[in-house]
């Protein structure tokens, strides 16, 4: 499972471009499959909420765009568990989020033709921004636990040492012991 993250929401134009990308129906089916941590029920209102949270704080960005590319198709239970672990890894359990599913288009060779986009508010309900330092190793550790628990092969990572350390901190020595350092970075 590949998880990536990118900051978004510096400007209204950036948010519009992100919405356009996530709603794109060319060669795929795009649909919103989850909204949480926000008192609204549609994606546009949730993204507007994230922008308002940014504007009401000192934060420069409004959201994080996290792509989720599993090698196997996820059912609803697995999808929800994936979102839960990502939110936990980012320390954002109470932050607003929207999840899009794109179906019918594989992201990479050997991947499922289903992938997801999680847009996560950078600013929480307390007005404080996420600490997104070391977000790649944190997300990689979540991805390795998901791969192990869902029966996927481990995705190689250049963050193997940091990921193994995080997994051991989480009590997942079983997974940390199975990680292999790549021959080359």
């Amino acid at each position: 499972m590949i998880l990536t993250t990118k900051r978004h929401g510096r400007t209204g134009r950036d948010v519009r471009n992100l919405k356009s990308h996530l709603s794109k129906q060319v060669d795929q089916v795009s649909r919103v499959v989850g909204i949480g941590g926000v008192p609204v029920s549609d994606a546009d209102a949730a993204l507007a909420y994230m922008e308002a949270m940014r504007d009401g704080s000192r934060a420069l960005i409004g959201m994080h765009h996290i792509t989720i590319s599993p090698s196997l198709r996820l059912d609803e239970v697995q999808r929800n568990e994936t979102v839960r672990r990502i939110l936990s890894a980012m320390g954002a359990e109470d932050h607003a989020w929207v999840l899009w599913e794109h179906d019918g288009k594989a992201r990479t060779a050997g991947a499922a033709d289903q992938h997801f986009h999680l847009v996560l508010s950078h600013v929480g309900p307390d007005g404080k921004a996420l600490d997104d330092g070391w977000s790649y190793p944190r997300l990689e550790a979540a991805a390795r636990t998901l791969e192990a628990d869902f029966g996927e092969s481990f995705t190689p990572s250049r963050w193997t040492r940091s990921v193994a350390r995080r997994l051991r901190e989480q009590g997942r020595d079983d997974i940390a012991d199975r990680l292999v350092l790549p021959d080359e970075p």
Side-chain angles (χ1 to χ4, degrees):
M1 178 175 297
I2 298 172
L3 302 178
T4 64
T5 182
K6 183 170 170 92
R7 294 173 168 191
H8 276 284
R10 293 182 193 277
T11 64
R13 179 180 179 190
D14 183 32
V15 175
R16 284 189 304 277
N17 289 342
L18 179 61
K19 279 196 284 191
S20 174
H21 169 71
L22 297 175
S23 301
K24 185 171 45 176
Q25 297 287 343
V26 177
D27 298 327
Q28 66 187 358
V29 175
S30 174
R31 65 188 183 107
V32 174
V33 293
I35 297 175
V38 63
V40 298
S41 59
D42 71 89
D44 289 343
L47 294 179
Y49 174 88
M50 293 177 200
E51 286 184 280
M53 294 300 289
R54 175 205 62 209
D55 293 344
S57 72
R58 296 185 342 193
L60 300 176
I61 64 166
M63 55 206 68
H64 296 267
H65 173 200
I66 301 168
T67 59
I68 305 165
S69 300
S71 61
L72 305 171
R73 290 187 67 82
L74 301 181
D75 61 29
E76 185 177 350
V77 171
Q78 292 170 322
R79 180 190 74 209
N80 293 341
E81 180 62 16
T82 299
V83 170
R84 189 193 68 71
R85 289 192 199 178
I86 290 170
L87 295 175
S88 178
M90 296 294 287
E93 293 92 339
D94 60 347
H95 286 232
W97 57 269
V98 180
L99 183 68
W100 277 263
E101 177 183 15
H102 287 179
D103 204 352
K105 178 181 176 185
R107 302 267 307 165
T108 61
D113 63 351
Q114 170 199 54
H115 64 275
F116 301 90
H117 298 267
L118 177 65
V119 178
L120 172 63
S121 180
H122 182 63
V123 179
D126 60 359
K128 294 181 182 176
L130 284 176
D131 175 5
D132 60 358
W134 295 93
S135 60
Y136 286 105
R138 288 190 285 164
L139 287 173
E140 292 278 332
R144 296 305 79 81
T145 65
L146 291 163
E147 288 167 343
D149 294 346
F150 295 166
E152 291 189 21
S153 299
F154 285 168
T155 302
S157 170
R158 61 184 180 157
W159 301 97
T160 303
R161 284 189 178 94
S162 295
V163 170
R165 185 172 33 256
R166 291 203 176 274
L167 289 168
R168 291 187 196 293
E169 289 169 0
Q170 297 169 5
R172 294 300 306 254
D173 292 340
D174 59 321
I175 300 171
D177 292 341
R178 293 173 41 202
L179 296 181
V180 177
L181 289 172
D183 295 334
E184 295 179 28

